[in-house]
Amino acid sequence: MTLLDETPDTRYLQLADTLAEAIRRGTLLPGDRLPSVRRCAQTHRVSINTVVSAYRTLEDRGLIEARPQSGFYVRSTLPALKMASAPSGRIEPPADDVLALIDTVFAAQQNPAFTNIALACPQTSDFYPGGKLGRMLSSQLRRQPDLIGQYPLPPGSLRLRQQIARRSMTLGMLLEPGDVVLTHGCMEALQLALRVTTKPGDCVGLESPTYFYLLPLLASLGLKALEIPTDPQLGLSLDALELLLNEKRLNAVIAMPTVQNPLGCTMPLAAKKRLARLMNDHQVPLIEDGLYAEIQFGGALSPAVKAFDRDGWVLFCSSFTKTLAPDFRVGWICGGRFHEALRKLKAVSSMSESQLLSETLATFLESGGYDHHLRNLRKRYAAQVDEARALIARHFPRGTLATQPAGGFVFWVEFPPGVDSVALFHQLLEEQICLTPGTLYSPSGRYRNALRLSCCYPFNARYTQALARLGARACEMSGLPPGIAQDG
Protein backbone atom coordinates (compact mmCIF):
# COMPACT_ATOMS: atom_id res chain seq x y z
CA MET A 1 0.00 0.00 0.00
CA THR A 2 1.26 3.48 -0.84
CA LEU A 3 0.31 6.85 0.57
CA LEU A 4 -1.77 7.46 -2.54
CA ASP A 5 -3.97 4.51 -1.56
CA GLU A 6 -4.89 6.21 1.71
CA THR A 7 -7.79 8.62 2.19
CA PRO A 8 -6.83 12.27 2.81
CA ASP A 9 -7.87 11.94 6.46
CA THR A 10 -5.49 9.05 7.13
CA ARG A 11 -2.62 9.86 4.77
CA TYR A 12 -0.71 11.86 7.39
CA LEU A 13 -0.92 8.92 9.83
CA GLN A 14 0.45 6.55 7.19
CA LEU A 15 3.34 8.95 6.54
CA ALA A 16 3.98 9.26 10.29
CA ASP A 17 4.03 5.47 10.67
CA THR A 18 6.45 5.12 7.74
CA LEU A 19 8.87 7.63 9.25
CA ALA A 20 8.48 6.12 12.74
CA GLU A 21 9.42 2.70 11.38
CA ALA A 22 12.52 4.22 9.72
CA ILE A 23 13.52 5.65 13.11
CA ARG A 24 12.95 2.32 14.90
CA ARG A 25 15.01 0.44 12.32
CA GLY A 26 17.87 2.92 12.55
CA THR A 27 17.50 4.19 8.99
CA LEU A 28 17.03 7.62 10.59
CA LEU A 29 19.35 8.04 13.58
CA PRO A 30 19.15 10.38 16.60
CA GLY A 31 20.27 13.81 15.46
CA ASP A 32 19.44 13.24 11.79
CA ARG A 33 17.62 16.08 10.08
CA LEU A 34 14.34 15.12 8.43
CA PRO A 35 13.63 16.33 4.89
CA SER A 36 12.06 19.78 4.72
CA VAL A 37 8.28 19.86 4.68
CA ARG A 38 8.27 20.84 1.00
CA ARG A 39 10.75 18.14 -0.04
CA CYS A 40 8.92 15.46 1.96
CA ALA A 41 5.65 16.47 0.29
CA GLN A 42 7.26 16.15 -3.15
CA THR A 43 8.87 12.79 -2.33
CA HIS A 44 5.67 11.19 -1.06
CA ARG A 45 3.34 13.07 -3.44
CA VAL A 46 1.20 14.50 -0.68
CA SER A 47 0.20 18.01 0.37
CA ILE A 48 2.28 20.23 2.63
CA ASN A 49 -0.52 20.10 5.20
CA THR A 50 -0.25 16.30 5.25
CA VAL A 51 3.48 16.48 5.99
CA VAL A 52 2.98 19.10 8.70
CA SER A 53 0.33 16.90 10.35
CA ALA A 54 2.64 13.86 10.13
CA TYR A 55 5.54 15.77 11.68
CA ARG A 56 3.30 17.02 14.49
CA THR A 57 2.18 13.44 15.13
CA LEU A 58 5.82 12.33 15.39
CA GLU A 59 6.49 15.22 17.77
CA ASP A 60 3.60 14.06 19.96
CA ARG A 61 5.10 10.58 19.99
CA GLY A 62 8.42 12.02 21.13
CA LEU A 63 10.30 10.78 18.07
CA ILE A 64 11.28 14.12 16.50
CA GLU A 65 11.74 17.71 17.62
CA ALA A 66 11.54 21.06 15.88
CA ARG A 67 14.61 23.31 16.09
CA PRO A 68 13.92 27.00 15.40
CA GLN A 69 15.05 28.14 11.96
CA SER A 70 16.64 24.75 11.33
CA GLY A 71 13.97 22.11 10.76
CA PHE A 72 12.89 18.81 12.28
CA TYR A 73 15.37 16.34 13.82
CA VAL A 74 15.20 12.82 15.20
CA ARG A 75 15.20 13.16 18.98
CA SER A 76 17.77 11.67 21.28
CA THR A 77 16.29 8.39 22.45
CA LEU A 78 16.23 6.64 25.79
CA PRO A 79 19.54 4.81 26.25
CA ALA A 80 19.30 1.16 25.28
CA LEU A 81 19.12 -1.44 28.02
CA LYS A 82 21.97 -3.94 28.20
CA MET A 83 21.70 -7.55 29.38
CA ALA A 84 21.71 -7.80 33.15
CA SER A 85 24.34 -9.81 35.01
CA ALA A 86 23.87 -13.56 34.78
CA PRO A 87 21.47 -15.13 37.30
CA SER A 88 22.92 -17.29 40.05
CA GLY A 89 22.14 -20.57 38.29
CA ARG A 90 20.48 -21.99 41.41
CA ILE A 91 17.57 -24.38 40.91
CA GLU A 92 14.85 -23.55 43.43
CA PRO A 93 11.11 -22.92 43.76
CA PRO A 94 9.97 -19.31 43.29
CA ALA A 95 10.70 -17.35 46.49
CA ASP A 96 7.82 -16.95 48.95
CA ASP A 97 8.24 -13.16 49.16
CA VAL A 98 8.00 -12.90 45.36
CA LEU A 99 4.79 -14.97 45.34
CA ALA A 100 3.34 -12.83 48.14
CA LEU A 101 4.15 -9.61 46.29
CA ILE A 102 2.48 -10.99 43.14
CA ASP A 103 -0.71 -11.53 45.14
CA THR A 104 -0.54 -7.96 46.51
CA VAL A 105 0.01 -6.44 43.07
CA PHE A 106 -2.72 -8.54 41.49
CA ALA A 107 -5.23 -7.45 44.13
CA ALA A 108 -4.35 -3.78 43.55
CA GLN A 109 -4.65 -4.18 39.79
CA GLN A 110 -8.29 -5.24 40.16
CA ASN A 111 -9.29 -2.06 42.03
CA PRO A 112 -11.18 0.14 39.53
CA ALA A 113 -10.31 3.27 41.53
CA PHE A 114 -6.61 2.80 40.76
CA THR A 115 -4.81 4.12 37.70
CA ASN A 116 -3.00 1.11 36.30
CA ILE A 117 0.14 1.66 34.25
CA ALA A 118 1.39 -1.91 34.21
CA LEU A 119 -1.40 -4.47 33.82
CA ALA A 120 -1.09 -6.10 30.37
CA CYS A 121 -4.84 -6.14 29.75
CA PRO A 122 -6.40 -3.49 27.50
CA GLN A 123 -9.09 -1.90 29.61
CA THR A 124 -11.46 -0.22 27.16
CA SER A 125 -13.66 -1.58 24.39
CA ASP A 126 -12.03 0.50 21.65
CA PHE A 127 -9.07 -1.92 21.69
CA TYR A 128 -11.41 -4.75 20.64
CA PRO A 129 -14.11 -5.17 17.94
CA GLY A 130 -16.72 -5.78 20.63
CA GLY A 131 -19.66 -4.46 18.61
CA LYS A 132 -18.95 -6.70 15.63
CA LEU A 133 -18.38 -9.74 17.82
CA GLY A 134 -21.62 -9.05 19.72
CA ARG A 135 -23.62 -8.90 16.51
CA MET A 136 -22.01 -12.09 15.24
CA LEU A 137 -22.71 -13.85 18.53
CA SER A 138 -26.39 -12.84 18.40
CA SER A 139 -26.65 -13.99 14.79
CA GLN A 140 -24.97 -17.29 15.65
CA LEU A 141 -27.42 -17.86 18.48
CA ARG A 142 -30.43 -17.10 16.26
CA ARG A 143 -29.23 -19.54 13.62
CA GLN A 144 -28.26 -22.29 16.09
CA PRO A 145 -30.20 -21.79 19.36
CA ASP A 146 -29.52 -25.40 20.29
CA LEU A 147 -25.80 -24.59 20.85
CA ILE A 148 -26.56 -23.47 24.41
CA GLY A 149 -28.12 -26.84 25.17
CA GLN A 150 -25.22 -28.92 23.87
CA TYR A 151 -22.12 -30.12 25.71
CA PRO A 152 -18.99 -29.15 23.76
CA LEU A 153 -16.42 -31.92 23.52
CA PRO A 154 -12.64 -31.75 23.11
CA PRO A 155 -10.64 -30.79 21.12
CA GLY A 156 -13.21 -28.01 20.44
CA SER A 157 -14.87 -26.29 17.47
CA LEU A 158 -13.61 -27.67 14.16
CA ARG A 159 -14.36 -24.38 12.37
CA LEU A 160 -12.21 -22.41 14.79
CA ARG A 161 -9.41 -24.97 14.71
CA GLN A 162 -9.46 -24.76 10.90
CA GLN A 163 -9.08 -20.98 11.10
CA ILE A 164 -6.25 -21.27 13.64
CA ALA A 165 -4.44 -23.74 11.40
CA ARG A 166 -4.86 -21.40 8.43
CA ARG A 167 -3.64 -18.38 10.37
CA SER A 168 -0.63 -20.28 11.73
CA MET A 169 0.92 -20.03 8.27
CA THR A 170 1.55 -16.31 8.87
CA LEU A 171 3.94 -17.39 11.66
CA GLY A 172 5.61 -20.03 9.47
CA MET A 173 3.80 -23.03 10.95
CA LEU A 174 2.10 -25.72 8.87
CA LEU A 175 -0.63 -27.11 11.10
CA GLU A 176 -3.75 -29.16 10.55
CA PRO A 177 -6.96 -28.65 12.54
CA GLY A 178 -6.28 -31.96 14.23
CA ASP A 179 -3.01 -30.56 15.64
CA VAL A 180 -4.89 -27.89 17.64
CA VAL A 181 -6.55 -28.24 21.05
CA LEU A 182 -8.68 -25.33 22.27
CA THR A 183 -7.99 -24.17 25.84
CA HIS A 184 -9.35 -21.73 28.41
CA GLY A 185 -6.99 -18.91 27.48
CA CYS A 186 -3.22 -19.07 27.12
CA MET A 187 -2.69 -19.70 30.84
CA GLU A 188 -4.48 -23.04 30.66
CA ALA A 189 -2.47 -23.89 27.55
CA LEU A 190 0.76 -23.23 29.47
CA GLN A 191 -0.48 -25.21 32.46
CA LEU A 192 -1.46 -28.20 30.34
CA ALA A 193 1.89 -28.03 28.54
CA LEU A 194 3.77 -28.11 31.84
CA ARG A 195 1.65 -30.97 33.18
CA VAL A 196 2.33 -33.24 30.17
CA THR A 197 6.06 -32.45 29.98
CA THR A 198 7.12 -32.36 33.66
CA LYS A 199 6.46 -33.88 37.09
CA PRO A 200 6.75 -32.35 40.58
CA GLY A 201 10.36 -31.64 41.47
CA ASP A 202 11.46 -31.09 37.86
CA CYS A 203 13.36 -27.99 36.77
CA VAL A 204 11.98 -25.55 34.19
CA GLY A 205 14.21 -23.02 32.45
CA LEU A 206 12.79 -19.49 32.36
CA GLU A 207 13.83 -16.30 30.62
CA SER A 208 15.10 -13.69 33.05
CA PRO A 209 13.10 -11.49 33.38
CA THR A 210 10.00 -13.56 32.58
CA TYR A 211 6.20 -13.24 32.68
CA PHE A 212 5.44 -12.97 36.40
CA TYR A 213 2.36 -15.23 36.55
CA LEU A 214 4.49 -18.19 35.48
CA LEU A 215 5.97 -18.17 38.98
CA PRO A 216 2.80 -19.07 40.94
CA LEU A 217 1.98 -21.52 38.14
CA LEU A 218 5.28 -23.35 38.65
CA ALA A 219 4.83 -23.27 42.42
CA SER A 220 1.33 -24.78 42.15
CA LEU A 221 2.74 -27.69 40.15
CA GLY A 222 5.66 -28.31 42.51
CA LEU A 223 8.21 -27.29 39.88
CA LYS A 224 11.56 -25.58 40.35
CA ALA A 225 12.86 -22.72 38.24
CA LEU A 226 16.22 -21.86 36.74
CA GLU A 227 16.69 -18.35 35.32
CA ILE A 228 18.43 -18.04 31.95
CA PRO A 229 19.99 -14.69 30.93
CA THR A 230 17.87 -12.86 28.35
CA ASP A 231 19.15 -10.01 26.20
CA PRO A 232 16.80 -7.01 25.87
CA GLN A 233 17.33 -6.96 22.11
CA LEU A 234 18.21 -10.55 21.17
CA GLY A 235 16.19 -12.60 23.64
CA LEU A 236 17.13 -15.82 25.43
CA SER A 237 20.88 -16.50 25.70
CA LEU A 238 21.33 -19.63 23.61
CA ASP A 239 24.91 -20.14 24.77
CA ALA A 240 23.71 -20.30 28.38
CA LEU A 241 20.82 -22.56 27.38
CA GLU A 242 23.09 -24.93 25.49
CA LEU A 243 25.38 -25.24 28.50
CA LEU A 244 22.43 -26.11 30.74
CA LEU A 245 21.13 -28.64 28.22
CA ASN A 246 24.57 -30.27 27.96
CA GLU A 247 24.63 -30.54 31.74
CA LYS A 248 21.11 -32.08 31.66
CA ARG A 249 19.82 -29.59 34.24
CA LEU A 250 16.53 -28.79 32.51
CA ASN A 251 13.38 -30.87 32.10
CA ALA A 252 11.56 -28.21 30.06
CA VAL A 253 11.90 -24.58 28.98
CA ILE A 254 9.24 -21.85 28.74
CA ALA A 255 10.08 -18.92 26.48
CA MET A 256 8.52 -16.09 24.47
CA PRO A 257 10.85 -15.85 21.47
CA THR A 258 8.51 -13.39 19.69
CA VAL A 259 7.57 -10.14 21.46
CA GLN A 260 8.77 -11.25 24.86
CA ASN A 261 6.94 -10.19 28.01
CA PRO A 262 8.22 -8.03 29.74
CA LEU A 263 11.11 -6.94 27.48
CA GLY A 264 9.20 -6.69 24.19
CA CYS A 265 12.09 -8.14 22.15
CA THR A 266 11.99 -10.71 19.34
CA MET A 267 14.78 -13.21 18.74
CA PRO A 268 16.54 -12.99 15.35
CA LEU A 269 15.58 -15.62 12.80
CA ALA A 270 18.91 -17.46 13.04
CA ALA A 271 18.56 -17.65 16.82
CA LYS A 272 15.05 -19.11 16.52
CA LYS A 273 16.35 -21.81 14.20
CA ARG A 274 19.18 -22.60 16.61
CA LEU A 275 16.74 -22.74 19.54
CA ALA A 276 14.54 -25.26 17.74
CA ARG A 277 17.58 -27.34 16.83
CA LEU A 278 18.89 -27.34 20.43
CA MET A 279 15.58 -28.52 21.88
CA ASN A 280 15.20 -31.26 19.27
CA ASP A 281 18.81 -32.43 19.58
CA HIS A 282 18.58 -32.66 23.38
CA GLN A 283 14.97 -33.91 23.33
CA VAL A 284 13.84 -31.37 25.92
CA PRO A 285 10.41 -29.76 25.39
CA LEU A 286 10.19 -26.04 24.64
CA ILE A 287 6.88 -24.46 25.64
CA GLU A 288 6.65 -21.50 23.27
CA ASP A 289 4.34 -18.73 24.48
CA GLY A 290 3.17 -16.94 21.34
CA LEU A 291 0.59 -14.70 23.00
CA TYR A 292 1.87 -11.46 21.40
CA ALA A 293 3.26 -12.96 18.19
CA GLU A 294 0.57 -11.42 15.98
CA ILE A 295 1.14 -7.90 17.37
CA GLN A 296 4.57 -7.44 15.80
CA PHE A 297 5.47 -4.01 14.48
CA GLY A 298 6.92 -3.47 11.01
CA GLY A 299 6.43 -5.59 7.91
CA ALA A 300 6.36 -9.38 7.60
CA LEU A 301 5.86 -11.32 10.83
CA SER A 302 8.85 -13.13 12.31
CA PRO A 303 8.05 -16.88 12.34
CA ALA A 304 7.54 -18.92 15.48
CA VAL A 305 10.22 -21.30 16.73
CA LYS A 306 7.60 -23.99 16.19
CA ALA A 307 8.03 -23.36 12.44
CA PHE A 308 11.48 -25.00 12.70
CA ASP A 309 10.45 -27.86 14.99
CA ARG A 310 11.89 -31.05 13.50
CA ASP A 311 10.64 -33.81 15.80
CA GLY A 312 7.75 -32.27 17.74
CA TRP A 313 9.61 -31.04 20.84
CA VAL A 314 8.10 -27.53 20.62
CA LEU A 315 4.63 -26.89 22.09
CA PHE A 316 3.10 -23.63 20.83
CA CYS A 317 0.56 -21.80 23.03
CA SER A 318 -1.53 -18.73 22.26
CA SER A 319 -4.99 -17.19 22.63
CA PHE A 320 -7.27 -14.41 21.39
CA THR A 321 -7.47 -12.68 24.79
CA LYS A 322 -4.93 -9.92 24.04
CA THR A 323 -6.08 -9.18 20.52
CA LEU A 324 -9.75 -9.95 20.07
CA ALA A 325 -12.02 -11.07 22.93
CA PRO A 326 -10.59 -11.26 26.46
CA ASP A 327 -13.82 -12.34 28.13
CA PHE A 328 -14.25 -15.27 25.70
CA ARG A 329 -11.11 -16.82 27.24
CA VAL A 330 -10.44 -18.91 24.15
CA GLY A 331 -6.86 -20.07 23.68
CA TRP A 332 -5.16 -22.95 21.95
CA ILE A 333 -2.15 -25.22 21.94
CA CYS A 334 -0.30 -27.24 19.33
CA GLY A 335 1.50 -29.94 21.29
CA GLY A 336 3.67 -31.71 18.73
CA ARG A 337 4.64 -35.15 20.05
CA PHE A 338 2.64 -34.40 23.22
CA HIS A 339 -0.63 -33.82 21.36
CA GLU A 340 -2.46 -36.96 22.43
CA ALA A 341 -1.50 -36.51 26.08
CA LEU A 342 -2.69 -32.89 25.90
CA ARG A 343 -6.01 -33.86 24.35
CA LYS A 344 -6.71 -36.38 27.11
CA LEU A 345 -5.58 -34.04 29.90
CA LYS A 346 -7.76 -31.21 28.58
CA ALA A 347 -10.76 -33.56 28.56
CA VAL A 348 -10.37 -34.61 32.20
CA SER A 349 -9.44 -31.14 33.51
CA SER A 350 -11.94 -28.76 31.88
CA MET A 351 -13.55 -30.79 29.07
CA SER A 352 -13.83 -28.18 26.27
CA GLU A 353 -14.43 -24.54 25.41
CA SER A 354 -17.79 -22.92 24.68
CA GLN A 355 -19.03 -23.91 21.23
CA LEU A 356 -21.02 -20.68 20.93
CA LEU A 357 -18.04 -18.45 21.64
CA SER A 358 -15.71 -20.54 19.49
CA GLU A 359 -18.10 -20.48 16.52
CA THR A 360 -18.43 -16.70 16.90
CA LEU A 361 -14.65 -16.29 16.77
CA ALA A 362 -14.50 -18.59 13.75
CA THR A 363 -17.10 -16.45 11.96
CA PHE A 364 -15.08 -13.31 12.66
CA LEU A 365 -11.86 -14.89 11.43
CA GLU A 366 -13.56 -16.20 8.27
CA SER A 367 -14.86 -12.71 7.49
CA GLY A 368 -11.35 -11.26 7.17
CA GLY A 369 -12.11 -8.73 9.89
CA TYR A 370 -9.32 -9.99 12.13
CA ASP A 371 -6.53 -8.95 9.76
CA HIS A 372 -7.94 -5.43 9.45
CA HIS A 373 -8.30 -5.23 13.22
CA LEU A 374 -4.70 -6.42 13.77
CA ARG A 375 -3.30 -3.82 11.36
CA ASN A 376 -5.00 -1.04 13.30
CA LEU A 377 -3.97 -2.54 16.64
CA ARG A 378 -0.30 -2.74 15.63
CA LYS A 379 -0.27 0.90 14.52
CA ARG A 380 -1.95 2.05 17.70
CA TYR A 381 0.35 0.15 20.03
CA ALA A 382 3.47 1.23 18.12
CA ALA A 383 2.39 4.86 18.47
CA GLN A 384 1.51 4.49 22.16
CA VAL A 385 4.82 2.79 22.97
CA ASP A 386 6.62 5.70 21.32
CA GLU A 387 4.53 8.19 23.28
CA ALA A 388 5.12 6.39 26.59
CA ARG A 389 8.88 6.31 25.96
CA ALA A 390 8.75 10.05 25.24
CA LEU A 391 7.03 10.62 28.60
CA ILE A 392 9.73 8.58 30.32
CA ALA A 393 12.46 10.60 28.62
CA ARG A 394 10.76 13.76 29.91
CA HIS A 395 9.81 12.77 33.48
CA PHE A 396 12.02 9.90 34.69
CA PRO A 397 15.43 10.37 36.35
CA ARG A 398 18.44 10.99 34.15
CA GLY A 399 20.14 7.65 33.53
CA THR A 400 16.89 5.68 33.13
CA LEU A 401 17.11 2.92 30.52
CA ALA A 402 14.29 1.28 28.56
CA THR A 403 13.79 -1.41 25.95
CA GLN A 404 12.50 -0.68 22.45
CA PRO A 405 9.76 -3.28 21.85
CA ALA A 406 9.47 -5.14 18.56
CA GLY A 407 5.73 -5.42 19.11
CA GLY A 408 3.00 -5.70 21.72
CA PHE A 409 2.34 -3.06 24.34
CA VAL A 410 4.70 -3.74 27.26
CA PHE A 411 8.32 -2.77 27.77
CA TRP A 412 10.97 -2.81 30.49
CA VAL A 413 12.36 0.20 32.35
CA GLU A 414 15.51 0.19 34.48
CA PHE A 415 16.14 3.04 36.90
CA PRO A 416 19.54 4.46 37.90
CA PRO A 417 21.01 3.40 41.27
CA GLY A 418 19.06 4.49 44.31
CA VAL A 419 15.59 3.75 42.96
CA ASP A 420 13.72 0.82 44.52
CA SER A 421 10.67 -0.21 42.46
CA VAL A 422 9.15 -2.17 45.37
CA ALA A 423 9.26 0.97 47.53
CA LEU A 424 7.81 2.94 44.59
CA PHE A 425 4.98 0.43 44.34
CA HIS A 426 3.98 0.92 47.97
CA GLN A 427 4.34 4.72 47.79
CA LEU A 428 2.21 5.04 44.69
CA LEU A 429 -0.50 2.74 46.05
CA GLU A 430 -1.23 5.56 48.49
CA GLU A 431 -1.89 7.78 45.45
CA GLN A 432 -4.05 5.08 43.80
CA ILE A 433 -1.46 4.34 41.10
CA CYS A 434 -0.54 0.70 40.47
CA LEU A 435 2.71 -0.56 38.91
CA THR A 436 4.49 -3.92 38.83
CA PRO A 437 7.98 -3.96 40.40
CA GLY A 438 10.77 -5.77 38.58
CA THR A 439 11.14 -8.36 41.36
CA LEU A 440 7.89 -9.98 40.21
CA TYR A 441 9.58 -11.07 36.99
CA SER A 442 12.28 -13.16 38.63
CA PRO A 443 11.85 -16.33 40.75
CA SER A 444 14.73 -15.14 42.96
CA GLY A 445 13.49 -11.55 43.26
CA ARG A 446 16.05 -9.82 41.04
CA TYR A 447 15.48 -6.50 39.21
CA ARG A 448 14.53 -4.42 42.24
CA ASN A 449 15.49 -1.25 40.31
CA ALA A 450 13.30 -2.09 37.31
CA LEU A 451 9.64 -2.34 36.34
CA ARG A 452 7.35 -3.18 33.43
CA LEU A 453 5.13 -0.55 31.86
CA SER A 454 2.07 -1.21 29.73
CA CYS A 455 0.70 0.94 26.91
CA CYS A 456 -2.69 -0.71 26.42
CA TYR A 457 -4.72 2.13 27.92
CA PRO A 458 -6.16 5.31 26.46
CA PHE A 459 -3.45 7.95 26.64
CA ASN A 460 -5.62 10.39 28.55
CA ALA A 461 -4.68 12.83 31.30
CA ARG A 462 -5.15 10.16 33.97
CA TYR A 463 -2.58 7.82 32.40
CA THR A 464 0.00 10.48 31.48
CA GLN A 465 -0.25 12.13 34.89
CA ALA A 466 0.32 8.76 36.57
CA LEU A 467 3.50 8.25 34.52
CA ALA A 468 4.65 11.76 35.40
CA ARG A 469 3.99 11.11 39.08
CA LEU A 470 5.97 7.86 38.93
CA GLY A 471 8.84 9.78 37.36
CA ALA A 472 8.70 12.48 40.05
CA ARG A 473 8.80 9.88 42.83
CA ALA A 474 11.76 8.13 41.19
CA CYS A 475 13.60 11.46 40.85
CA GLU A 476 13.05 12.13 44.57
CA MET A 477 14.34 8.68 45.44
CA SER A 478 17.45 8.90 43.24
CA GLY A 479 18.25 12.58 43.81
CA LEU A 480 18.59 12.98 40.03
CA PRO A 481 16.87 15.51 37.76
CA PRO A 482 14.27 14.39 35.21
CA GLY A 483 14.95 14.11 31.50
CA ILE A 484 17.57 12.34 29.42
CA ALA A 485 20.72 14.24 28.49
CA GLN A 486 20.17 15.78 25.07
CA ASP A 487 22.76 15.64 22.32
CA GLY A 488 24.46 18.99 21.76
Side-chain angles (χ1 to χ4, degrees):
M1 179 179 289
T2 68
L3 292 181
L4 294 177
D5 297 322
E6 298 290 312
T7 65
D9 289 341
T10 61
R11 206 167 286 162
Y12 79 95
L13 289 175
Q14 180 73 11
L15 177 58
D17 289 339
T18 299
L19 294 171
E21 184 63 21
I23 293 170
R24 288 189 204 100
R25 291 177 179 270
T27 306
L28 293 171
L29 297 172
D32 282 356
R33 185 177 185 273
L34 270 66
S36 69
V37 170
R38 187 175 299 278
R39 176 171 293 183
C40 188
Q42 292 172 344
T43 300
H44 294 281
R45 299 171 64 189
V46 295
S47 70
I48 287 177
N49 286 339
T50 295
V51 178
V52 170
S53 296
Y55 282 7
R56 285 175 178 166
T57 298
L58 292 173
E59 279 189 286
D60 292 340
R61 296 183 190 178
L63 294 179
I64 68 173
E65 59 187 357
R67 297 181 184 175
Q69 300 178 335
S70 179
F72 291 90
Y73 291 79
V74 179
R75 285 194 61 184
S76 299
T77 56
L78 281 165
L81 188 64
K82 302 289 191 285
M83 183 188 286
S85 58
S88 65
R90 290 195 301 269
I91 298 175
E92 53 194 350
D96 289 340
D97 57 340
V98 174
L99 297 177
L101 184 57
I102 289 174
D103 286 340
T104 302
V105 171
F106 198 64
Q109 287 176 333
Q110 297 179 71
N111 190 328
F114 283 39
T115 301
N116 207 309
I117 55 176
L119 183 64
C121 300
Q123 294 294 291
T124 58
S125 58
D126 59 336
F127 288 98
Y128 301 110
K132 291 180 180 178
L133 283 172
R135 290 189 293 273
M136 288 180 177
L137 190 149
S138 297
S139 175
Q140 189 75 43
L141 196 53
R142 285 194 302 271
R143 292 197 313 271
Q144 293 181 277
D146 56 327
L147 282 179
I148 287 184
Q150 295 178 355
Y151 277 95
L153 299 174
S157 163
L158 176 59
R159 279 181 67 208
L160 182 55
R161 289 185 291 114
Q162 287 173 333
Q163 287 301 308
I164 289 171
R166 183 186 67 82
R167 291 203 61 81
S168 71
M169 295 176 65
T170 64
L171 294 173
M173 298 180 284
L174 294 176
L175 306 181
E176 298 178 3
D179 299 326
V180 177
V181 175
L182 299 186
T183 63
H184 196 63
C186 194
M187 278 303 296
E188 189 190 34
L190 294 170
Q191 182 191 111
L192 294 174
L194 283 168
R195 290 172 65 187
V196 300
T197 58
T198 63
K199 62 184 184 302
D202 280 354
C203 177
V204 179
L206 298 177
E207 297 160 312
S208 184
T210 191
Y211 169 51
F212 70 85
Y213 226 67
L214 289 178
L215 307 187
L217 175 57
L218 292 182
S220 72
L221 297 175
L223 298 171
K224 298 177 181 179
L226 199 160
E227 297 178 72
I228 303 173
T230 304
D231 186 274
Q233 283 83 42
L234 304 177
L236 190 69
S237 170
L238 297 185
D239 290 340
L241 174 64
E242 185 169 18
L243 180 63
L244 294 169
L245 290 171
N246 286 334
E247 294 175 351
K248 301 188 183 304
R249 299 178 68 190
L250 299 175
N251 301 101
V253 175
I254 299 180
M256 296 184 77
T258 308
V259 190
Q260 198 259 8
N261 177 8
L263 297 174
C265 60
T266 291
M267 295 179 72
L269 183 61
K272 288 184 173 182
K273 292 179 178 179
R274 182 185 171 194
L275 177 55
R277 186 169 62 252
L278 281 172
M279 307 312 291
N280 279 272
D281 288 349
H282 289 270
Q283 298 186 354
V284 172
L286 169 67
I287 302 170
E288 181 177 8
D289 185 344
L291 188 58
Y292 297 91
E294 289 196 296
I295 322 177
Q296 299 179 51
F297 304 154
L301 301 184
S302 174
V305 173
K306 179 66 180 174
F308 310 108
D309 184 20
R310 186 181 67 230
D311 300 321
W313 288 97
V314 180
L315 301 84
F316 187 88
C317 306
S318 190
S319 86
F320 297 100
T321 55
K322 300 296 185 185
T323 58
L324 194 54
D327 190 59
F328 282 23
R329 300 299 303 162
V330 175
W332 59 278
I333 183 170
C334 173
R337 62 174 48 242
F338 301 94
H339 171 77
E340 190 60 22
L342 281 166
R343 185 188 64 79
K344 292 178 179 178
L345 185 58
K346 168 63 179 177
V348 300
S349 60
S350 58
M351 187 56 72
S352 187
E353 298 309 302
S354 162
Q355 189 78 359
L356 175 60
L357 300 183
S358 297
E359 291 291 304
T360 300
L361 285 179
T363 301
F364 187 83
L365 296 176
E366 289 169 356
S367 74
Y370 190 42
D371 289 308
H372 176 74
H373 169 65
L374 281 177
R375 284 194 295 271
N376 291 332
L377 207 58
R378 291 171 189 138
K379 289 180 182 179
R380 180 168 185 179
Y381 285 142
Q384 294 199 170
V385 165
D386 289 340
E387 191 172 346
R389 285 170 51 84
L391 290 168
I392 291 170
R394 189 176 310 137
H395 296 294
F396 282 33
R398 187 161 297 175
T400 297
L401 308 175
T403 57
Q404 176 65 71
F409 46 75
V410 299
F411 63 99
W412 190 249
V413 178
E414 186 177 287
F415 290 112
V419 178
D420 184 329
S421 62
V422 177
L424 279 176
F425 165 73
H426 290 293
Q427 289 178 9
L428 289 170
L429 276 188
E430 298 175 1
E431 302 182 39
Q432 295 190 324
I433 297 172
C434 186
L435 57 86
T436 52
T439 52
L440 269 64
Y441 301 87
S442 162
S444 59
R446 294 158 54 84
Y447 311 115
R448 201 172 178 97
N449 70 323
L451 53 79
R452 184 190 75 179
L453 288 180
S454 180
C455 303
C456 57
Y457 308 97
F459 269 47
N460 51 25
R462 182 179 177 182
Y463 179 88
T464 56
Q465 288 169 9
L467 269 186
R469 188 64 191 134
L470 168 58
R473 283 282 196 174
C475 288
E476 293 170 9
M477 196 175 286
S478 67
L480 295 169
I484 61 173
Q486 298 295 319
D487 293 339

